[in-house]
Amino acid sequence: MRVGRVIVSSFAYRGTMMASTDNLRLALLAWYDKHARVLPWRVQPALRALGMAPEPYRVWLSEIMLQQTTITTVKPYFETFLLAFPTIADLAQAPLEHVLTYWAGLGYYARGRNLHACAIAIDGVGAFPTHPEALMALSGIGPYTAAAIASIAFDYPVVPVDGNVERVLSRLLHIDAVLPAAKPIFRAAASQFADSHRPGDFSQALMDLGSVVCTPRKPRCQECPWASSCLAYQAQDAETYPRKAAKKIRPNRYGAAFVHINDDGVLAARRKDSGLLGGMLEVPGSEWTDQPKSESEALAFAPIQDAPWQLASPIEHIFTHFHLHLDVYVAHSQRPDNAHRVAISALKDAGFPSVMMKAIKSALMASDLKM
């Protein structure tokens, strides 16, 4: 590992004297003032210079939504969510089921449940905590999110470290330590940039630099305000950083989904609050196991045993820790019942998670029906 000493402001590594942290900060802030991305939750640097402060609710909501999710995906969800819940009090007072309906499709549904619990806690005390440690005591807020909220919303002098920041620092300093085990090294490196001068803008500038310029492939080094100090740029090996451990193979899991349709719509139920997809709507299904089920084994889980079940096209869905394969069964009945049904015309807005929508779409396609 090339970087083994405590990082100091002069950044002396391998005989190379780099610019001071102060100079690097100022160069990045000057770049950010010209090139900051326009995002719906962000107060642009020119407006911040005029005294406009970020709204903590918007900062927090965006950071939770952006966990494991791209900006392109988040933008429309963010705007729709704010229309439904304009203030944190509105969010805290809404039923969890209603909140999860607006979260459907964003994935990682524990975030939606934690968001609601966090809103209740904050509304109860009347204000957001401003210190990272106090923020981490809230549901769904870890070290990165706490640092991001504290710096962006409250100008607390801390630097949040996400994948973009790790990539920038690994290249700037030629950090050979392997992620994720090396995260403490990157946090120590980032901490050297913490400063009371525009900490929120600096955090967002560092995020933008990693997203727009210091990209994983084909980084735009000629546009980087740190290029003259970057060891990876000097060595022309930027794409080899950061060093990462080999990815684990994602295991396969198998199951069956049952889409029962009558004149009232699709049979649905709500999952228990805890666990994967907790609190979300679902169509009935089997357990998910590491071995495929035969048709007879799968049909033992059918919610209506005497229904005329037929196979539709199977679907696949990738979760963080496994790859799910679902056989989809569809059946029709004219028989009315007292079960919970979702009208076909209301399926898109009902709040089914993506994996369930895939199963429903497969069943509707096999039935020549459209939402």
Side-chain angles (χ1 to χ4, degrees):
M1 185 176 72
R2 294 172 184 154
V3 177
R5 288 172 286 174
V6 175
I7 298 171
V8 294
S9 60
S10 63
F11 283 117
Y13 293 115
R14 304 174 63 204
T16 301
M17 290 297 295
M18 300 180 68
S20 71
T21 52
D22 287 343
N23 288 339
L24 287 169
R25 288 185 90 263
L26 291 173
L28 184 57
L29 286 168
W31 173 85
Y32 179 70
D33 288 341
K34 294 180 181 179
H35 302 289
R37 290 177 294 178
V38 177
L39 301 172
W41 47 83
R42 174 179 285 177
V43 175
Q44 293 302 108
L47 294 176
R48 292 204 71 170
L50 293 174
M52 181 180 290
E55 168 55 51
Y57 175 45
R58 296 170 70 92
V59 174
W60 164 65
L61 178 61
S62 69
E63 288 298 333
I64 300 299
M65 286 189 167
L66 287 166
Q67 292 170 1
Q68 305 292 326
T69 310
T70 65
I71 285 177
T72 301
T73 299
V74 165
K75 280 182 179 179
Y77 278 92
F78 179 83
E79 291 164 347
T80 302
F81 202 92
L82 278 181
L83 288 174
F85 312 105
T87 69
I88 199 163
D90 295 320
L91 178 57
Q93 292 162 17
L96 176 60
E97 292 181 6
H98 187 48
V99 174
L100 291 178
T101 297
Y102 283 87
W103 197 272
L106 263 179
Y108 303 93
Y109 294 100
R111 294 181 302 165
R113 298 194 300 273
N114 286 332
L115 189 83
H116 187 248
C118 190
I120 292 171
I122 294 169
D123 188 52
V125 298
F128 267 90
T130 60
H131 192 284
E133 289 187 10
L135 285 161
M136 279 195 291
L138 298 170
S139 299
I141 297 181
Y144 164 78
T145 305
I149 295 169
S151 66
I152 297 169
F154 304 112
D155 268 334
Y156 189 91
V158 64
V159 179
V161 180
D162 66 353
N164 284 322
V165 175
E166 288 170 345
R167 184 167 58 255
V168 170
L169 294 178
S170 71
R171 292 170 175 176
L172 176 71
L173 304 174
H174 253 178
I175 299 176
D176 273 337
V178 177
L179 289 165
K183 285 184 179 294
I185 292 174
F186 286 89
R187 286 195 291 269
S191 71
Q192 302 301 310
F193 289 93
D195 191 274
S196 59
H197 176 61
R198 300 177 63 186
D201 282 347
F202 180 79
S203 293
Q204 293 174 104
L206 201 50
M207 296 171 190
D208 281 10
L209 186 68
S211 296
V212 178
V213 174
C214 197
T215 51
R217 298 286 176 265
K218 298 182 179 179
R220 297 154 62 180
C221 298
Q222 298 295 337
E223 301 174 27
C224 180
W226 284 359
S228 62
S229 297
C230 179
L231 296 181
Y233 177 64
Q234 294 168 17
Q236 294 297 295
D237 60 2
E239 287 196 36
T240 69
Y241 287 88
R243 310 299 201 203
K244 291 185 177 181
K247 289 185 177 180
K248 294 181 180 179
I249 297 175
R250 186 180 280 115
N252 292 302
R253 298 182 73 181
Y254 304 87
F258 298 92
V259 182
H260 190 272
I261 305 169
N262 70 11
D263 290 344
D264 294 325
V266 172
L267 181 65
R270 194 164 293 278
R271 294 172 69 89
K272 63 182 181 179
D273 286 342
S274 60
L276 187 64
L277 306 181
M280 304 300 294
L281 277 179
E282 68 173 354
V283 295
S286 72
E287 59 187 353
W288 299 343
T289 58
D290 57 6
Q291 293 295 327
K293 290 177 171 57
S294 67
E295 184 170 333
S296 61
E297 289 172 330
L299 287 172
F301 291 90
I304 302 173
Q305 285 292 308
D306 60 352
W309 295 105
Q310 299 291 325
L311 272 171
S313 297
I315 62 104
E316 297 181 14
H317 191 79
I318 297 176
F319 290 99
T320 306
H321 300 300
F322 64 92
H323 187 166
L324 179 64
H325 305 258
L326 286 182
D327 290 325
V328 179
Y329 292 84
V330 59
H332 298 261
S333 173
Q334 302 305 314
R335 231 172 14 187
D337 57 31
N338 294 320
H340 180 205
R341 298 271 174 177
V342 177
I344 291 177
S345 61
L347 288 168
K348 287 183 179 179
D349 299 319
F352 287 99
S354 299
V355 62
M356 297 300 163
M357 286 302 294
K358 288 181 182 180
I360 291 169
K361 288 176 181 177
S362 173
L364 294 179
M365 185 175 295
S367 306
D368 290 326
L369 295 172
K370 294 182 179 180
M371 285 187 243

